[in-house]
Amino acid sequence: QVQLVESGGGLVQAGGSLRLSCVASGRTFSNYAMGWFRQAPGKEREFVAGISRSGVLTYYVDSVKGRFTISRDNAKNTVYLQMNSLQPEDTALYYCAARRVWSTYWTVQQSDYWGQGTQVTVSS
């Protein structure tokens, strides 16, 4: 089992920045690819960004490319999502996910472990 705990969400004005963190425990963190998903009210949960086990490979959906940066610190068992130039459409509950297998994109069903989520609200 892997336990994931997100933090760093909050309320920010459009154009602002937030940094999300997700701390993992329970299994060897570096054995898992990590990702961030988000779910806006009334919408399905969607993949946002992923990072390989070593941190060398990353992937972003088009809507966040150039604005969001995913990174990880395997010594701290933590994955981050730096979010810049936030827009109201980025408002969602953001989830951290872990997966044993790396791929450039993965679905909700392909994720092995989930955190509880952290709310990000961007006001216009």
Side-chain angles (χ1 to χ4, degrees):
Q1 286 284 345
V2 175
Q3 293 77 43
L4 303 172
V5 179
E6 303 96 333
S7 62
L11 174 63
V12 64
Q13 289 189 331
S17 298
L18 284 173
R19 188 195 196 201
L20 305 183
S21 299
C22 172
V23 179
S25 61
R27 292 285 178 93
T28 303
F29 180 67
S30 58
N31 285 347
Y32 293 85
M34 299 298 297
W36 287 95
F37 288 71
R38 67 186 180 186
Q39 187 167 17
K43 295 188 177 182
E44 293 186 351
R45 193 174 300 186
E46 63 173 357
F47 179 84
V48 174
I51 189 165
S52 62
R53 286 171 283 190
S54 66
V56 171
L57 302 175
T58 59
Y59 180 80
Y60 303 90
V61 294
D62 287 345
S63 58
V64 307
K65 277 182 183 177
R67 301 189 299 123
F68 291 11
T69 302
I70 188 170
S71 61
R72 66 190 296 163
D73 186 337
N74 286 346
K76 295 183 178 180
N77 290 352
T78 303
V79 62
Y80 305 97
L81 186 67
Q82 177 68 43
M83 304 186 296
N84 298 329
S85 301
L86 283 162
Q87 299 301 316
E89 52 265 34
D90 295 316
T91 294
L93 190 58
Y94 282 72
Y95 295 91
C96 174
R99 187 180 185 217
R100 294 179 184 88
V101 178
W102 159 253
S103 61
T104 54
Y105 173 90
W106 72 82
T107 66
V108 170
Q109 292 75 17
Q110 291 173 322
S111 300
D112 296 312
Y113 300 101
W114 291 96
Q116 294 299 308
T118 185
Q119 179 67 40
V120 172
T121 303
V122 185
S123 62
S124 57

